[in-house]
Amino acid sequence: MECPICKLANACLAGTPNVSSCWCMNKQFDEWVLSQIPEQYKHKACICEACYVKYSEMLQKPQR
């Protein structure tokens, strides 16, 4: 599978019998991060860990 945001391989387990052991199952995703996924890719694959970290860090930076 590929990340719906950056299109790189993400080792997503969505749609497999092992979905419950996917890395994303124990993460909290901010709604803003999830809104970055194009509509046609929603609920088909998880965001890769690199995008999760990148967007989560963006949310933690103070707004100026």
Side-chain angles (χ1 to χ4, degrees):
M1 289 255 160
E2 64 182 32
C3 174
I5 296 176
C6 70
K7 305 296 185 213
L8 296 177
N10 66 356
C12 176
L13 297 175
T16 73
N18 298 322
V19 67
S20 63
S21 61
C22 191
W23 75 272
C24 70
M25 296 304 280
N26 63 0
K27 301 291 183 190
Q28 290 281 352
F29 288 83
D30 184 273
E31 286 299 317
W32 182 84
V33 175
L34 295 175
S35 75
Q36 303 310 299
I37 301 172
E39 194 62 39
Q40 69 267 28
Y41 297 112
K42 289 186 187 232
H43 307 292
K44 298 202 167 74
C46 63
I47 297 169
C48 71
E49 196 162 8
C51 282
Y52 172 78
V53 169
K54 172 184 168 183
Y55 285 102
S56 295
E57 287 176 353
M58 286 173 65
L59 288 171
Q60 293 175 6
K61 289 185 180 178
Q63 300 295 318
R64 297 180 189 196

